[in-house]
Amino acid sequence: MRDEWDRAHTDYAMPVQRRSPASLAESESDWRRYLECSTPNGWLIRENAMADALASGRPMYLLHTTREIDAIRTSRQLHVSTGCLVGALYCSPLTSQREGLRPHNLGAYLMRTKPSTTPMIFEVTPDAPMRPKGVDYLRLGPIHLRTYLRYQSFLAPAENDQLNRTVLAGLRAAAPFLDVALRNAAGRATAAPEFIDQLSAAVPRVPFLGYLYFEVLSEYLMLHSTTLETKSHALAGELNNWLYKRLAFAAVEGMDQLFDLARFNPRHHRLVQLIEDIEPDLAAGAAEYVRRRLSHLFAGTALHPSQDASSFTFQGADLRTLRDTAPGLIGQMIFREVRYMPRYQQLYHCFEKAKALEAWDYWNSEGIPTPFNGVIPKGEIGINPTYPRSAVRVWTARRDSKGYLHPNEEIEAAPTPVLASWWAPPRQRETYSSIEESRVEPARVARSPITTQRSPMSGVPA
């Protein structure tokens, strides 16, 4: 169990430790060197303001936004979210300056686009300096699978049968592309336009591909952008989050209402157009970057490290075998399918609290009071509600005319190891021969009186 959580975290101060499937054309270490050393903003992967704050051991200041400030005052509790941070209170960094607390550009975006929320300031005083070690939700598949297998008795036989049929049908429909991705990871290059169009068609069958697609493009934009806006954020030690926000909202209608990466599947022509509209100079290289990077990440997150990417095939494989050979992919598929079951609103805490308990135990043993989204350290950071060796203070925030935040009213409240309530809109089942426009990722719509939820950006994104 601990090994799975180790593999689901990335320590950006250490060389790559994870095992990977055999025959990959590029290793994870190769990609780390390329991203850090051969992209305009790659230095920010290790030398960012958030990592500096973690390593300092000094009090950290974090921004959280909520629509339920009155309920927080009354209950004195803040419930935590699931998603890309598993079970943490979702925040973004604040930098202490003479003028006040300056929001990270992610926090500035959240405040600008959520004007009806109340900003809150958290002061987290850690017990020691922290390593820049973040959780990568793309690598949680084996944990999702193990949790399902442990608690599958909570589902009726008919529900388990339906779940297995749905997952297997999606795998069979997408298997040709999944094998193409593995062959590309092993060095066989498919023409980028053809690869992107095949990827687009496969996303509705295997929604996890939409998450990979989006995260790869987000990485590409943040690391390669050379606009004045991006350079300004880089001077502050921050990757530019506004880039992928624009991408998501332009690519998927209604994304501002429910962040839904299961519907993120632009075809090649549309992909080029989207990138041109954001930063024209990056459009020409986007598709080839996706082909190489997504293929590598898919092999590393889908297959068990004992497998060989050059010879493995999804075609004709049965589900029982794939649970052993491709636990990452099967876990991700089950994780998303089980959430559309009619009874899952009642079962939500059974499945999600089990993972949160493991995450809290891991973070406590590793000295992590403030876990962050480690797909790439872009400023999504949370508060571990069970960490026993740090102090947390909470205020509502006053924002001045220059955008700086100042503590206003101190609140007697604390992050609590209780998961915010969860709800998903119903999905109309589509056939696997069509695009499932109604397929949405439900994980982040809150119905809690205590705090608000968020997407898995990112999604993980949450």
Side-chain angles (χ1 to χ4, degrees), residues 7 51 57 79 94 148 154 188 192 262 274 308 343 345 360 369 410-411:
R7 289 195 294 271
H79 294 181
L94 292 166
Y148 163 73
F154 290 14
R188 184 191 303 172
L274 288 167
D308 189 320
R343 290 198 309 118
Q345 189 171 359
W360 297 332
E410 187 162 8
I411 302 293

Side-chain angles (χ1 to χ4, degrees), residues 54-114:
L54 291 169
S56 73
R58 296 192 295 269
M60 290 190 68
Y61 293 93
L62 304 177
L63 166 68
H64 174 74
T65 59
T66 182
R67 292 186 176 88
E68 304 295 344
I69 188 62
D70 291 337
I72 292 171
R73 287 193 180 100
T74 300
S75 69
R76 299 186 177 186
Q77 295 183 355
L78 293 107
H79 294 181
V80 298
S81 305
T82 54
C84 70
L85 296 179
V86 187
L89 185 71
Y90 182 80
C91 301
S92 61
L94 292 166
T95 300
S96 181
Q97 297 182 343
R98 180 179 301 175
E99 301 91 334
L101 294 169
R102 181 185 60 78
H104 188 283
N105 72 85
L106 173 60
Y109 173 88
L110 293 174
M111 287 194 295
R112 181 175 298 183
T113 57
K114 300 179 184 296

Side-chain angles (χ1 to χ4, degrees), residues 81-88 90 134-138 140 215 335 363 371-375 378 380-381 443-444 454-462:
S81 305
T82 54
C84 70
L85 296 179
V86 187
Y90 182 80
V135 59
D136 184 343
Y137 81 93
L138 298 175
L140 292 175
E215 293 293 355
F335 170 63
W363 294 336
F372 66 90
N373 181 358
V375 174
K378 58 189 177 184
E380 292 183 308
I381 190 168
R444 316 299 171 257
R454 44 87 54 195
S455 70
M457 291 284 293
S458 89
V460 135

Side-chain angles (χ1 to χ4, degrees), residues 406-452:
H406 306 269
N408 189 23
E409 172 196 1
E410 187 162 8
I411 302 293
E412 294 295 328
T416 305
V418 175
L419 300 184
S421 299
W422 177 94
W423 172 84
R427 178 184 64 182
Q428 294 184 359
R429 180 71 60 186
E430 300 285 344
T431 65
Y432 277 104
S433 60
S434 65
I435 300 297
E436 293 180 276
E437 291 297 336
S438 62
R439 186 178 200 126
V440 294
E441 166 58 33
R444 316 299 171 257
V445 181
R447 291 296 181 267
S448 170
I450 305 302
T451 188
T452 54

Side-chain angles (χ1 to χ4, degrees), residues 262-275:
R263 292 191 298 151
F264 186 85
N265 66 331
R267 291 175 61 83
H268 178 260
H269 175 76
R270 177 61 174 152
L271 168 63
V272 174
Q273 183 182 60
L274 288 167
I275 304 301

Side-chain angles (χ1 to χ4, degrees), residues 11 97 116 122 135 222 265 291 326 332 389 444 454 459:
D11 188 336
Q97 297 182 343
S116 61
F122 288 79
V135 59
M222 287 188 289
N265 66 331
R291 183 195 69 79
Q332 294 284 3
R389 301 185 300 278
R444 316 299 171 257
R454 44 87 54 195

